[in-house]
Amino acid sequence: MIRFDDLTVFVLAADNGNMSAAARLLNIAPAVASAAIKRLEAELGVRLFARSTRSLRLTSDGARYVEFARNALAELRAGHDALMQEREALHGTLTISIPSDLGRNVLTDWLDVFMVQHPALALNVRIGDMRVDMFRQPVDAAVRYGVPDDSTLVAAPLAPDNRRVLCASPAYFARHGKPASLEELFGHNCLRLALSEAMHDRWTFEKNGDERVIKVTGNRISDDGELVRRWAVAGQGLAYKSRLDVLADLRAGRLETALDDWLGERAPVNLVSTHRLALTPALSRLRDFLQERMRAYVAQSEAD
């Protein structure tokens, strides 16, 4: 029976022309390497090397056999790698909840890439801005704005420095002008989001440690952040959106920001999961993937 270790010693000795070099590469004693070659020669019934005290060269039989040995080792390594990839592949179904606007316009494309990288994984996506109860609903993780109040949940940061921005379309600003102060917001049509009976009509701004909260009004309300963004792009009013939600619109000129000397409220993006599920291979891989994508997305915007 030909041993894998003996073939390895043989190929390394042939490549290096030196038994001691092969032994050093394998971290074994020269005597062990020499014994491996003798064992292989005995198994094959031929001499593989012509040896002297100063040189080591392949015999004609050894020169013919070394290519077969290399191919055999390559096939064995390929088989080992295939088994390891299969063992490390993500399986099963991953159920995630993602927000309406960022989910539809950014995350779904990224998730397509993630699925190509992990073809054995099935994905169940729930999209919407309503918060899910992760202990009562079969959801493994949720991409959400803000840090959860529940201490039994784990929040892995994806975009910790994200904030909201005040924005509208160029057409809206052409008709109504850009507000020059927070007080001027009272005279603008503000597009509002309502979730779980809570109206998001108090917009918070910060400058030099001074925090101001403005209660806004307008003629359009929705429980869907994507619809609020579309209204803003269509010139229907001012929106107070996560910068990530409108980043593509700002780059393309479909939206413009206003009151840039004031910082909007913080809107960190996190991948939220329960303690029980926080360290599963699928969630860990998804977390790392989304963190990398989010960093690149924000960095591209800053470069522009």
Side-chain angles (χ1 to χ4, degrees):
M1 179 68 68
I2 294 176
R3 295 170 52 171
F4 172 81
D5 291 346
D6 294 350
L7 284 179
T8 302
V9 172
F10 168 56
V11 170
L12 286 175
D15 289 345
N16 289 274
N18 189 295
M19 194 77 69
S20 297
R24 283 195 301 272
L25 290 170
L26 295 171
N27 196 27
I28 59 177
V32 174
S34 180
I37 297 300
K38 290 179 181 178
R39 195 164 44 242
L40 182 59
E41 289 176 330
E43 187 68 34
L44 295 171
V46 298
R47 296 234 342 147
L48 297 172
F49 289 108
R51 305 174 182 82
S52 70
T53 56
R54 294 186 177 181
S55 66
L56 182 76
R57 63 177 179 81
L58 288 168
T59 64
S60 58
D61 287 331
R64 286 195 299 271
Y65 187 70
V66 72
E67 292 305 319
F68 291 100
R70 285 196 183 97
N71 291 336
L73 291 175
E75 289 296 320
L76 287 170
R77 281 193 294 270
H80 176 269
D81 291 344
L83 287 175
M84 291 303 99
Q85 289 176 3
E86 178 65 21
R87 182 179 299 175
E88 294 175 0
L90 304 184
H91 296 84
T93 299
L94 182 62
T95 301
I96 63 172
S97 172
I98 59 179
S100 170
D101 199 339
L102 186 68
R104 286 188 175 94
N105 298 310
V106 178
L107 295 180
T108 51
D109 289 342
W110 294 354
L111 291 173
D112 286 342
V113 176
F114 185 72
M115 293 295 288
V116 170
Q117 295 176 357
H118 306 287
L121 184 69
L123 190 64
N124 183 353
V125 176
R126 302 187 175 191
I127 194 163
D129 292 317
M130 300 294 292
R131 293 188 179 275
V132 297
D133 186 332
M134 301 189 65
F135 293 99
R136 295 187 178 183
Q137 299 180 30
V139 174
D140 298 322
V143 177
R144 281 294 177 261
Y145 289 105
V147 179
D149 297 329
D150 191 338
S151 62
T152 61
L153 296 176
V154 175
L158 302 180
D161 299 323
N162 185 55
R163 288 181 178 267
R164 296 190 179 278
V165 295
L166 185 68
C167 58
S169 72
Y172 177 86
F173 286 137
R175 291 194 307 271
H176 303 282
K178 281 192 177 183
S181 67
L182 294 178
E183 288 72 24
E184 289 187 21
L185 292 181
F186 297 127
H188 282 270
N189 191 46
C190 295
L191 309 170
R192 293 168 292 167
L193 184 69
L195 297 175
S196 301
E197 308 301 325
M199 179 72 69
H200 290 251
D201 58 357
R202 295 180 180 274
W203 295 356
T204 302
F205 299 88
E206 176 190 342
K207 180 167 63 174
N208 299 327
D210 178 25
E211 184 175 282
R212 298 280 303 281
V213 179
I214 305 296
K215 189 176 188 306
V216 299
T217 60
N219 65 4
R220 292 177 186 244
I221 301 169
S222 176
D223 65 351
D224 184 89
E226 164 70 352
L227 180 55
V228 172
R229 186 192 66 82
R230 290 189 182 188
W231 282 340
V233 171
Q236 302 298 338
L238 283 170
Y240 189 52
K241 294 283 293 176
S242 155
R243 185 169 179 269
L244 286 171
D245 284 352
V246 295
L247 202 47
D249 297 313
L250 294 173
R251 288 173 178 167
R254 293 184 293 267
L255 292 175
E256 297 176 357
T257 58
L259 295 177
D260 293 330
D261 54 334
W262 287 89
L263 292 174
E265 69 181 5
R266 296 184 181 278
V269 182
N270 294 286
L271 181 68
V272 180
S273 59
T274 64
H275 280 291
R276 179 175 57 87
L277 294 169
L279 297 178
T280 63
L283 281 185
S284 296
R285 203 75 61 84
L286 178 64
R287 175 202 61 205
D288 295 343
F289 173 83
L290 290 179
Q291 285 175 338
E292 180 181 350
R293 286 277 167 160
M294 200 71 77
R295 280 194 297 268
Y297 190 53
V298 172
Q300 179 187 353
S301 139
E302 294 172 346
D304 295 342

